[in-house]
Amino acid sequence: LNKEINIKKKIHVVIHCASNHPYTFSNKSKKKLEKENISMCKNINNFCNNNKVKKIIFISAINAYGVIDKKNVNENYKSKKLSWYGRSKLAGEKIFLNNKNIYKCICLRVPGIFTKDLSKDHPLIIHLIKRLLKGSDIISYNRNGLFNNIIDTLEIYKIIKIFLKKKEIDSGKYNLAARDPIKFYEVIQILKKIFSSKSKIKFIENKKKPFLIDIKKIEKNFNIKISKTYKILERNSIEILKSIKI
């Protein structure tokens, strides 16, 4: 994707989720990784405009906001103090949402995606699950802080399906995260129960306060209710447990 895209087949829809990310194992500099991410977006944009692609789904990230110092972050929050990864995502959004493009595009600003891949140590939920499975003690912050910073591929699939079917949805950036936040100690208790873990949990307070991801815009424009936080935690954890037992 860092080179000119040359595909002869007729393409109607492009889903762009490939990128360097903060956990990419590479000897390249952060500046180089950032440039590559932006280059991919430019090449995809050129291909789509030149080949009359109708729709693009860009998997962006909450990192496009940079440092978040509010309790709730919606799509109008002004980005600041961006990391190289956040800058590349924000730049990609600007490329895909340019009014001169002939296609429609939705940019989904997602938090850590809850997958069943335990080979990595991220996002946070996977890190916690791995420690719970080992019975390792856990030190956590902000016991009573509310949490909805999670999403999974099923919810992303639902949004993409609606976008492909409906003509009236406009291009734009959308937060996508779980609904109905729960306290963080409840998150850990749900996971601990599912995995029958004997890990001891110690909570300490932290000056850095947690934030919630506002999903009102996507629920209204797509006429959908995103799954609840506990539901996303539960269904994916149960699938991980099943795979381990197999």
Side-chain angles (χ1 to χ4, degrees):
L1 293 178
N2 275 306
K3 296 180 180 179
E4 182 180 353
I5 301 170
N6 186 17
I7 299 175
K8 301 301 180 182
K9 292 182 179 180
K10 179 64 178 175
I11 306 293
H12 298 284
V13 177
V14 171
I15 302 174
H16 178 35
C17 52
S19 72
N20 298 309
H21 56 80
Y23 303 100
T24 298
F25 180 76
S26 174
N27 293 322
K28 298 174 183 176
S29 67
K30 292 179 180 179
K31 188 173 183 180
K32 177 66 174 176
L33 295 174
E34 179 182 347
K35 284 184 176 181
E36 286 183 350
N37 282 357
I38 296 171
S39 174
M40 284 188 250
C41 293
K42 288 179 177 178
N43 290 334
I44 291 171
N45 176 65
N46 290 337
F47 172 82
C48 291
N49 280 318
N50 293 334
N51 291 274
K52 299 181 180 179
V53 170
K54 294 180 179 180
K55 293 184 177 183
I56 293 181
I57 298 94
F58 176 46
I59 307 300
S60 186
I62 290 299
N63 306 66
Y65 291 115
V67 174
I68 297 172
D69 54 14
K70 288 189 176 182
K71 289 183 178 180
N72 281 276
V73 58
N74 63 27
E75 291 82 357
N76 295 321
Y77 184 88
K78 189 174 180 180
S79 301
K80 57 186 175 183
K81 297 181 181 179
L82 290 158
S83 65
W84 70 266
Y85 182 63
R87 284 194 301 271
S88 74
K89 288 297 186 182
L90 191 62
E93 291 180 359
K94 290 178 179 178
I95 290 167
F96 292 129
L97 295 177
N98 190 306
N99 291 330
K100 294 180 180 179
N101 295 332
I102 65 170
Y103 55 78
K104 283 188 175 183
C105 175
I106 55 169
C107 300
L108 300 178
R109 289 184 168 180
V110 299
I113 299 175
F114 193 169
T115 69
K116 304 170 188 66
D117 184 4
L118 295 181
S119 67
K120 301 173 183 176
D121 205 35
H122 60 86
L124 173 62
I125 294 300
I126 293 297
H127 173 74
L128 289 174
I129 288 174
K130 289 175 74 172
R131 292 194 66 81
L132 289 169
L133 285 169
K134 292 177 182 177
S136 303
D137 292 347
I138 294 174
I139 296 176
S140 186
Y141 301 94
N142 298 317
R143 172 189 176 94
N144 294 310
L146 292 175
F147 176 86
N148 78 327
N149 299 18
I150 191 171
I151 200 66
D152 64 6
T153 53
L154 177 58
E155 298 305 313
I156 296 173
Y157 162 76
K158 290 177 184 176
I159 294 299
I160 292 174
K161 188 176 179 181
I162 294 171
F163 181 54
L164 297 184
K165 283 187 174 182
K166 294 191 175 182
K167 296 180 179 179
E168 63 269 22
I169 295 176
D170 293 327
S171 295
K173 56 189 178 185
Y174 295 89
N175 288 346
L176 179 57
R179 69 192 303 265
D180 290 0
I182 59 177
K183 292 180 178 180
F184 198 66
Y185 82 86
E186 293 179 286
V187 170
I188 296 180
Q189 290 304 321
I190 289 170
L191 297 176
K192 189 175 179 182
K193 182 178 179 181
I194 290 173
F195 294 103
S196 303
S197 176
K198 295 182 180 180
S199 295
K200 293 180 180 179
I201 316 299
K202 181 180 179 181
F203 288 95
I204 58 178
E205 289 304 310
N206 188 356
K207 291 182 179 180
K208 184 180 178 181
K209 297 301 179 183
F211 62 87
L212 293 175
I213 300 171
D214 190 316
I215 57 172
K216 293 187 184 73
K217 180 180 176 181
I218 198 165
E219 288 197 320
K220 179 181 178 181
N221 288 21
F222 284 73
N223 191 26
I224 188 176
K225 283 193 174 183
I226 307 301
S227 290
K228 296 180 180 181
T229 303
Y230 87 87
K231 188 65 178 178
I232 293 177
L233 285 169
E234 184 181 64
R235 71 184 179 214
N236 286 281
S237 296
I238 290 173
E239 286 300 313
I240 288 175
L241 189 62
K242 286 179 181 177
S243 68
I244 292 172
K245 288 183 176 179
I246 291 171

